Amino acid sequence: MDIVDLTQIRFEHEDNLILKSRKKAERESALFCEDCGIRIPDQRRKYVLGVRTCVSCQSVRERDTMQDF
């Protein structure tokens, strides 16, 4: 096993921890983005439980938050 294999195992472990913590989300994901109103894709709703925005709007929110620093 080399460094690439070990890194891959670590990333998979971290991804599993993130997914497990998201499964504990109490609220259901929105069908439509609360910012722009487009339908949120099922894949996003499945893996980001409790999601309220589409990828584009979430990117804008994160960019705006980073500019505050």
Side-chain angles (χ1 to χ4, degrees):
M1 202 177 276
D2 63 9
I3 189 72
V4 174
D5 292 329
L6 293 173
T7 302
Q8 181 65 33
I9 290 170
R10 181 176 177 180
F11 281 128
E12 288 174 1
H13 177 70
E14 290 174 358
D15 285 347
N16 287 334
L17 290 175
I18 291 168
L19 288 174
K20 189 181 287 187
S21 71
R22 288 181 179 163
K23 288 181 181 179
K24 295 178 182 177
E26 293 181 16
R27 65 180 178 171
E28 190 174 315
S29 294
L31 286 174
F32 298 94
C33 177
E34 62 185 29
D35 289 351
C36 70
I38 69 166
R39 183 173 173 80
I40 299 172
D42 291 337
Q43 285 292 91
R44 179 164 172 75
R45 294 179 69 241
K46 178 180 177 183
Y47 290 105
V48 186
L49 298 180
V51 70
R52 311 310 290 167
T53 58
C54 67
V55 172
S56 297
C57 290
Q58 185 63 37
S59 295
V60 169
R61 285 182 176 191
E62 290 173 7
R63 185 190 69 227
D64 291 347
T65 300
M66 292 305 292
Q67 288 178 353
D68 291 342
F69 290 102

